[in-house]
């Protein structure tokens, strides 16, 4: 996805402006090797996934090797739906080897409620500006029971080498990430 003014979602775009304002669930996908590029400043949003005016639930996805020459190499969350009480949810995802200027793995902006990230692995992402893994408008993102390279504040978070054994990010039997998450959580 390359544009002269705005590039949204090199792999997947979920946009409330185009009818994606209900329950949006992205489950069990491999979102890999996508690019969002734009010649105007940081107007490339989400090399792998970009959302706008909606609150998706992303579960059990592998988001890997995506590039944004703006924000959110793996994921870019932009603006909530008007009057919503929902959160952007990222649960049981592996987000690795993504690249951006800001937020190598995930970037969020102009949100009423910060995203919630649970039981996920963020590893080997990079940003030439800020936030190799996570960056956004503020530091209010909720990260729980996740493995974030370099560490991240929050209940149950770790920063162990996940010990991937293949390109699909299967874990070695001796990986500290196995059963390190939480079975269920009320949010």
């Amino acid at each position: 996805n390359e544009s002269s003014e705005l590039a949204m979602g090199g792999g997947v775009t979920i946009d409330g402006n185009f009818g994606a304002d209900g329950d949006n669930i992205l489950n069990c996908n491999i979102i890999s090797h996508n690019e969002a590029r734009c010649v105007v400043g940081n107007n490339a949003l989400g090399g792998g996934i970009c959302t706008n005016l909606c609150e998706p639930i992303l579960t059990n996805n592998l988001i890997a090797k995506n590039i944004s020459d703006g924000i959110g190499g793996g994921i870019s969350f932009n603006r909530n739906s008007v009057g919503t009480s929902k959160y952007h949810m990222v649960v049981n995802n592996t987000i690795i080897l993504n690249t951006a200027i800001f937020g190598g793995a995930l970037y969020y902006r102009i949100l009423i409620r910060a995203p919630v990230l649970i039981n996920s692995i963020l590893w080997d992402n990079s940003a030439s500006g800020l936030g190799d893994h996570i960056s956004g408008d503020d530091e209010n993102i909720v990260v729980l029971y996740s493995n974030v390279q370099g560490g991240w504040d929050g209940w149950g978070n770790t920063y162990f080498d996940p010990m991937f054994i293949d390109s699909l990010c299967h874990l070695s039997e001796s990986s500290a990430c196995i059963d390190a998450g939480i079975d269920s959580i009320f949010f």
Side-chain angles (χ1 to χ4, degrees):
N1 183 359
E2 186 169 344
S3 172
S4 61
E5 294 185 27
L6 178 66
M8 293 177 63
V12 175
T13 300
I14 306 170
D15 194 329
N17 284 318
F18 301 103
D21 54 354
D23 291 331
N24 297 289
I25 299 171
L26 193 59
N27 183 39
C28 295
N29 295 281
I30 297 174
I31 300 163
S32 182
H33 293 89
N34 300 289
E35 297 183 13
R37 298 198 178 273
C38 186
V39 296
V40 177
N42 293 328
N43 285 344
L45 314 175
I49 302 168
C50 179
T51 71
N52 186 51
L53 294 173
C54 61
E55 296 70 37
I57 299 170
L58 310 178
T59 60
N60 303 307
N61 298 293
L62 171 59
I63 303 164
K65 299 180 182 177
N66 299 289
I67 298 169
S68 171
D69 66 4
I71 63 174
I75 304 167
S76 177
F77 290 135
N78 304 287
R79 299 184 296 170
N80 290 94
S81 303
V82 176
T84 187
S85 61
K86 296 179 182 179
Y87 289 85
H88 293 76
M89 300 292 295
V90 180
V91 182
N92 297 334
N93 291 276
T94 300
I95 308 170
I96 66 161
L97 297 166
N98 298 286
T99 305
I101 295 174
F102 301 103
L106 184 148
Y107 190 91
Y108 59 99
R109 67 182 195 160
I110 316 170
L111 299 181
I112 298 165
R113 291 175 180 75
V116 177
L117 190 131
I118 303 170
N119 286 1
S120 293
I121 297 172
L122 282 71
W123 208 260
D124 285 337
N125 298 287
S126 62
S128 59
L130 294 173
D132 282 339
H133 298 290
I134 301 170
S135 187
D137 286 347
D138 55 45
E139 295 298 319
N140 291 328
I141 188 169
V142 177
V143 180
L144 305 169
Y145 301 97
S146 293
N147 190 48
V148 181
Q149 187 175 15
W152 195 271
D153 288 338
W155 293 336
N157 291 334
T158 60
Y159 53 95
F160 302 115
D161 182 341
M163 300 175 64
F164 298 120
I165 59 171
D166 59 27
S167 62
L168 293 177
C169 298
H170 292 103
L171 299 172
S172 163
E173 289 180 18
S174 57
S175 173
C177 293
I178 294 174
D179 296 327
I182 190 167
D183 291 335
S184 62
I185 191 167
F186 177 76
F187 192 82

